[in-house]
């Protein structure tokens, strides 16, 4: 559990966000991270509070209190940045839609204008 917490503590919301923007991180990787942190949380939560080992009774309350915040904080970071990423992606998408709409709705007064619209249409198709 110590190694898990050390690895979790290396995670940084700003780094995750920049990796996504740089396309080195995908939405699937966020999904996998969420599943992993939920698994970690469940595993730590499932530890018995008291365990008898021979004649010794072990109380794991302090252990749980020490390790539970790690996956919870990682989940909180992801849940905090996902709406920000969605907002940024939505803004980019809307900007592209408005730009494309303006280019395609421009009046055609010459052959050059027609070629410009066909070029704009091809560029929009490529972005899909």
């Amino acid at each position: 559990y110590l190694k898990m917490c050390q690895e979790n503590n290396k995670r940084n919301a700003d780094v995750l966000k920049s990796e996504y923007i740089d396309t080195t991180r995908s939405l699937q990787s966020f999904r996998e991270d969420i599943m992993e942190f939920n698994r970690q949380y469940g595993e730590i939560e499932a530890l018995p509070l008291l365990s008898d080992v021979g004649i010794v009774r072990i109380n794991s309350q302090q252990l749980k209190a020490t390790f539970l915040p790690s996956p919870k904080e990682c989940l909180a970071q992801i849940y905090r940045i996902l709406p920000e990423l969605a907002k940024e992606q939505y803004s980019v998408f809307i900007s592209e839609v408005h730009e494309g709409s303006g280019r395609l709705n421009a009046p055609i007064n010459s052959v050059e204008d027609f070629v410009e619209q066909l070029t704009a249409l091809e560029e929009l198709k490529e972005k899909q």
Side-chain angles (χ1 to χ4, degrees):
Y1 292 113
L2 180 60
K3 185 176 180 178
M4 173 195 71
C5 285
Q6 290 170 339
E7 290 295 318
N8 289 352
N9 290 337
K10 291 178 185 176
R11 294 182 180 265
N12 180 319
D14 293 330
V15 171
L16 294 176
K17 190 175 177 180
S18 66
E19 287 176 350
Y20 180 77
I21 291 169
D22 297 339
T23 66
T24 56
R25 173 171 282 276
S26 67
L27 285 179
Q28 178 63 30
S29 63
F30 279 111
R31 183 178 295 118
E32 291 165 359
D33 286 347
I34 290 170
M35 289 173 28
E36 174 63 17
F37 296 134
N38 280 325
R39 184 197 63 75
Q40 290 176 4
Y41 182 82
E43 192 175 299
I44 294 169
E45 188 66 39
L47 288 173
L49 190 57
L50 297 172
S51 295
D52 294 326
V53 180
I55 61 171
V56 177
R57 177 166 276 184
I58 299 173
N59 184 339
S60 64
Q61 183 176 5
Q62 184 63 37
L63 180 72
K64 288 171 88 169
T66 301
F67 291 131
L68 269 179
S70 177
K72 284 173 72 172
E73 176 57 30
C74 289
L75 284 169
Q77 286 182 17
I78 290 174
Y79 292 149
R80 189 171 42 250
I81 65 172
L82 282 178
E84 294 172 15
L85 292 173
K87 182 180 177 184
E88 289 173 14
Q89 292 295 322
Y90 177 75
S91 295
V92 168
F93 172 73
I94 290 299
S95 172
E96 289 176 358
V97 167
H98 286 300
E99 177 188 340
S101 177
R103 288 175 72 186
L104 293 176
N105 288 329
I108 300 175
N109 296 322
S110 66
V111 174
E112 290 83 15
D113 292 342
F114 180 73
V115 171
E116 173 61 31
Q117 279 197 342
L118 288 179
T119 304
L121 183 61
E122 287 300 316
E123 289 173 3
L124 290 173
K125 285 182 182 179
E126 289 175 7
K127 287 183 180 182
Q128 290 180 338

